Amino acid sequence: AMSSSTRAAVRLFPNWVVRHVREPNLKTAEWLKRPVLQFLVSPQMNKIDISEYLRKLYGIPVSKVHTANYLGEDKVHPKSAMKRLKKADYKKAYVYLSDEAGAQRPRYHEIEAQLTPEALASWPAKPGRSVRELREKARQEKQSS
């Protein structure tokens, strides 16, 4: 016979509603270089649950999920001002999809660019902008003219 603790841990079909926000006001497209979807999910769902749910059921190429919890608004009861109504709490899930390269790069592209051999050779300037490289370029232009 199964103990009660093992039985409680198994949740086969939880009653979760995942609602897609069609036009979220996200200002990340310019610097993020990969699409972000926003969902309203149950507060009981964790990041792993959300990513697995979207991967398995809808085949969405999730690379990262971050979440934010919100308290439901308090409302005044329409018939009695003494009674208070409260909307349900909810959680917003920001789902980052795989980018063009298929990798998860939040802001590491700048660091990766600094670690290339050209960038290390011309440090502290940017590649092609160090004094040595500019002198060589000027010398070559003098010789060619």
Side-chain angles (χ1 to χ4, degrees):
M2 287 175 61
S3 68
S4 62
S5 63
T6 357
R7 210 174 308 119
V10 177
R11 295 184 297 171
L12 289 177
F13 296 107
N15 188 16
W16 285 336
V17 176
V18 174
R19 198 174 87 208
H20 179 235
V21 179
R22 287 182 189 272
E23 293 178 23
N25 189 16
L26 299 173
K27 297 185 172 57
T28 54
E30 308 87 51
W31 57 268
L32 200 61
K33 301 287 186 279
R34 62 182 168 155
V36 182
L37 298 177
Q38 185 178 322
F39 293 92
L40 297 179
V41 300
S42 162
Q44 284 81 35
M45 289 179 86
N46 60 29
K47 293 176 185 183
I48 296 165
D49 292 336
I50 294 164
S51 75
E52 287 302 304
Y53 184 97
L54 295 173
R55 271 196 198 115
K56 296 277 192 316
L57 285 178
Y58 300 107
I60 296 175
V62 177
S63 70
K64 181 185 174 181
V65 175
H66 87 248
T67 57
N69 286 303
Y70 290 89
L71 294 173
E73 296 174 6
D74 287 327
K75 294 194 313 184
V76 178
H77 194 277
K79 293 185 178 158
S80 166
M82 296 303 289
K83 289 185 183 173
R84 291 280 184 246
L85 296 174
K86 185 176 175 294
K87 287 187 179 175
D89 298 343
Y90 61 97
K91 180 184 273 193
K92 277 187 188 174
Y94 300 92
V95 177
Y96 298 83
L97 306 183
S98 298
D99 62 357
E100 302 85 49
Q104 175 186 332
R105 282 195 299 281
R107 290 183 201 92
Y108 301 131
H109 59 280
E110 292 163 1
I111 297 168
E112 288 169 1
Q114 290 170 6
L115 295 176
T116 58
E118 305 87 47
L120 290 172
S122 65
W123 189 85
K126 289 194 163 109
R129 303 293 305 158
S130 70
V131 174
R132 181 177 43 78
E133 289 167 323
L134 291 173
R135 278 190 191 138
E136 287 173 14
K137 195 187 219 179
R139 195 176 303 121
Q140 287 171 358
E141 286 174 4
K142 267 188 196 172
Q143 289 172 358
S144 65
S145 61

